[in-house]
Amino acid sequence: MTELVYVGLGANLKSPLETIKLAINELTVLPHSELVGVSKIYSSKPMGPADQPDYINAVALIRTELTPHQLFSHTCAIEDKHGRTRVGEHWGPRTLDLDILLYGQHQINDEQLVVPHYGLQQREFVIYPLLDITPDLVLPCGTIVESLTKNIPLNGMTPLLSTH
Ligand SMILES: Nc1nc2c(c(=O)[nH]1)N=C(CO)CN2
């Protein structure tokens, strides 16, 4: 059994562009998984406290046999490898953040995981990269992702370079 999983990547400390590229590479070597798509890589204005650097954001699509919690332990390990600390400000700066945005059409809600990711529908740095990969993407709740762009402006977000 395989599932298509969208993983959001964000970073705004140290060398965020380099970190995002390395993290995309690390997703290519996950066990029982293959990377099948990557969005453009964007620079975005910080959501939350404004006194932090701009973010680099992207979304990757993987096909995996890992369960959501197995995948989550791998994404946490990749975050840790890049010096992620789990203390500090809510919505504060970070070296690397990996979020499981969508796991097939599954809905998961437990102490470790909320999938679809709770902020997905409000964040330009998630919606536009998702659409780069899958322009006709539909959420488990039936929402057409493209329809969200009407109410969510780019907010100055710009693509940095093509990964294709
Ligand atoms: N633009 C942008 N802003 C953020 C991001 C992010 O990935 N991109 N992540 C955050 C940490 O929760 C807080 N704010």
Side-chain angles (χ1 to χ4, degrees):
M1 185 64 188
T2 65
E3 295 285 355
L4 286 170
V5 185
Y6 293 85
V7 178
L9 301 98
N12 76 335
L13 293 178
K14 308 270 179 66
S15 310
L17 177 58
E18 195 55 35
T19 302
I20 293 296
K21 289 181 184 172
L22 288 169
I24 291 168
N25 263 313
E26 285 153 14
L27 291 175
T28 68
V29 295
L30 287 182
H32 310 290
S33 308
E34 63 174 317
L35 184 78
V36 293
V38 184
S39 72
K40 294 173 196 158
I41 296 178
Y42 293 90
S43 168
S44 65
K45 298 288 165 211
M47 174 194 73
D51 59 341
Q52 56 175 325
D54 285 357
Y55 278 77
I56 301 294
N57 283 111
V59 169
L61 174 60
I62 62 175
R63 190 192 308 279
T64 188
E65 292 176 14
L66 297 174
T67 66
H69 291 88
Q70 287 171 335
L71 177 61
F72 181 64
S73 70
H74 284 283
T75 57
C76 288
I78 296 172
E79 288 177 340
D80 291 345
K81 188 174 160 191
H82 291 277
R84 168 79 179 268
T85 56
R86 290 174 200 286
V87 290
E89 218 180 352
H90 187 48
W91 289 350
R94 51 206 55 206
T95 50
L96 179 64
D97 198 9
L98 296 181
D99 291 327
I100 300 176
L101 300 170
L102 293 168
Y103 184 92
Q105 290 292 304
H106 292 257
Q107 290 175 297
I108 304 158
N109 204 323
D110 62 30
E111 318 77 57
Q112 283 187 314
L113 280 178
V114 178
V115 182
H117 191 268
Y118 65 95
L120 190 156
Q121 299 202 33
Q122 287 79 43
R123 299 181 181 179
E124 69 280 3
F125 54 86
V126 174
I127 292 169
Y128 289 90
L130 281 172
L131 291 170
D132 285 343
I133 305 174
T134 310
D136 59 355
L137 186 63
V138 181
L139 302 181
C141 62
T143 298
I144 296 168
V145 175
E146 206 274 329
S147 74
L148 299 170
T149 62
K150 280 199 294 288
N151 295 314
I152 309 286
L154 274 167
N155 191 27
M157 189 172 72
T158 49
L160 288 184
L161 46 80
S162 169
T163 55
H164 305 295

